[in-house]
Amino acid sequence: MTDAIKIDVWSDIACPWCYIGKRNLETGLAATADDADAPRVEVTFHSYELSPDTPVDFDGNEVDFLSQHKGMTPEQVKPMLDRVTGVAAEAGLEYRFDLLKHTNTVKAHELLHFAKEQGLQKEMTERLMSAYFTEGRHVGRIDDLVELAADAGLDREAARDALESGRYLEAVRADQAQAQAYGIQGVPFFVIDGKYGVSGAQPAEAFAQIARQVWSERAEASAAS
């Protein structure tokens, strides 16, 4: 049997294009499920912090954040937010920038590594992104993260211990070092089978196409060997 295609995704919980890219990837892969020879795919998420200097409790809204951290004017921010909200809606996501609570995401990334160890990284990633972009939940404080961990099926006290101990910080930093080695300067960034790099929140059709292409290449290589 042909080994599964490995897709490694570098993303940040607080990146609006990352959630869109994640959903488009899922939609694209789902479209290949009925193929006669459907590609088998394993997706792994990796840590990337877009704004590591963001405080856990940022005092302000999305417009304030982008104005302070990106040097944009409020007049520039609104059409940009309207655009990303529209693209998110096309992907089936209802972004609520009016509710969003900016925070530092390093603890959320630590939680994702804990969840990966428990076999629940997919569920935890979805829960964090949904909480942040559509529900206005706080994803930077340990108490809040523990509740979200429980929502995703993780043991509450084990999650708290993982976060309070900081023992997954090294794994977060290793992901970031790998991103630097790959030359990744923005997310989402998708690495397919360690040899193809795809940058940005591509349409679902693009992900379906590349999965079929790589799977076909695998089959041809297998037949030739």
Side-chain angles (χ1 to χ4, degrees), residues 1 6 9 12 32 41 55 67 94 101-102 104 110 126 148 151 162 169 181-182 188 215 222-223:
M1 182 181 289
K6 296 189 183 302
V9 187
D12 192 1
T32 70
V41 179
S67 296
E94 187 181 351
K101 293 179 174 62
H102 269 286
N104 189 289
E110 290 179 36
E126 177 64 28
L148 294 170
D151 290 348
L169 180 59
Y182 277 144
W215 192 248
S222 178

Side-chain angles (χ1 to χ4, degrees), residues 106-141:
V106 70
K107 282 294 175 188
H109 284 295
E110 290 179 36
L111 181 57
L112 285 174
H113 279 278
F114 170 67
K116 178 183 176 184
E117 200 174 78
Q118 306 301 312
L120 289 170
Q121 191 195 48
K122 176 184 175 182
E123 292 81 359
M124 194 71 253
T125 303
E126 177 64 28
R127 187 68 197 99
L128 285 168
M129 287 183 162
S130 175
Y132 186 72
F133 282 108
T134 74
E135 302 167 36
R137 297 281 294 274
H138 203 296
V139 301
R141 298 185 297 238

Side-chain angles (χ1 to χ4, degrees), residues 3-158:
D3 291 339
I5 298 168
K6 296 189 183 302
I7 299 183
D8 293 283
V9 187
W10 270 262
S11 67
D12 192 1
I13 300 304
C15 163
W17 294 104
C18 291
Y19 196 11
I20 294 167
K22 173 183 176 295
R23 185 62 85 246
N24 286 348
L25 172 64
E26 292 164 348
T27 303
L29 294 179
T32 70
D34 293 331
D35 290 5
D37 183 21
R40 291 190 306 110
V41 179
E42 291 178 4
V43 179
T44 303
F45 288 89
H46 299 274
S47 303
Y48 192 101
E49 290 179 273
L50 281 174
S51 299
D53 58 337
T54 304
V56 171
D57 290 299
F58 176 78
D59 185 19
N61 58 26
E62 177 76 359
V63 175
D64 298 326
F65 178 82
L66 291 173
S67 296
Q68 292 178 28
H69 285 253
K70 305 297 183 185
M72 302 174 70
T73 66
E75 292 74 25
Q76 291 173 314
V77 170
K78 189 177 187 311
M80 189 183 74
L81 294 182
D82 288 345
R83 175 171 175 261
V84 73
T85 299
V87 177
E90 291 172 7
L93 302 169
E94 187 181 351
Y95 278 9
R96 291 295 304 273
F97 285 112
D98 56 321
L99 301 178
L100 190 147
K101 293 179 174 62
H102 269 286
T103 187
N104 189 289
T105 59
V106 70
K107 282 294 175 188
H109 284 295
E110 290 179 36
L111 181 57
L112 285 174
H113 279 278
F114 170 67
K116 178 183 176 184
E117 200 174 78
Q118 306 301 312
L120 289 170
Q121 191 195 48
K122 176 184 175 182
E123 292 81 359
M124 194 71 253
T125 303
E126 177 64 28
R127 187 68 197 99
L128 285 168
M129 287 183 162
S130 175
Y132 186 72
F133 282 108
T134 74
E135 302 167 36
R137 297 281 294 274
H138 203 296
V139 301
R141 298 185 297 238
I142 289 178
D143 286 349
D144 298 272
L145 288 169
V146 167
E147 292 306 311
L148 294 170
D151 290 348
L154 292 164
D155 180 81
R156 198 180 250 98
E157 292 312 309

Side-chain angles (χ1 to χ4, degrees), residues 165-177:
S165 70
R167 66 177 181 269
Y168 292 93
L169 180 59
E170 186 177 344
V172 174
R173 298 302 181 226
D175 274 355
Q176 293 169 332

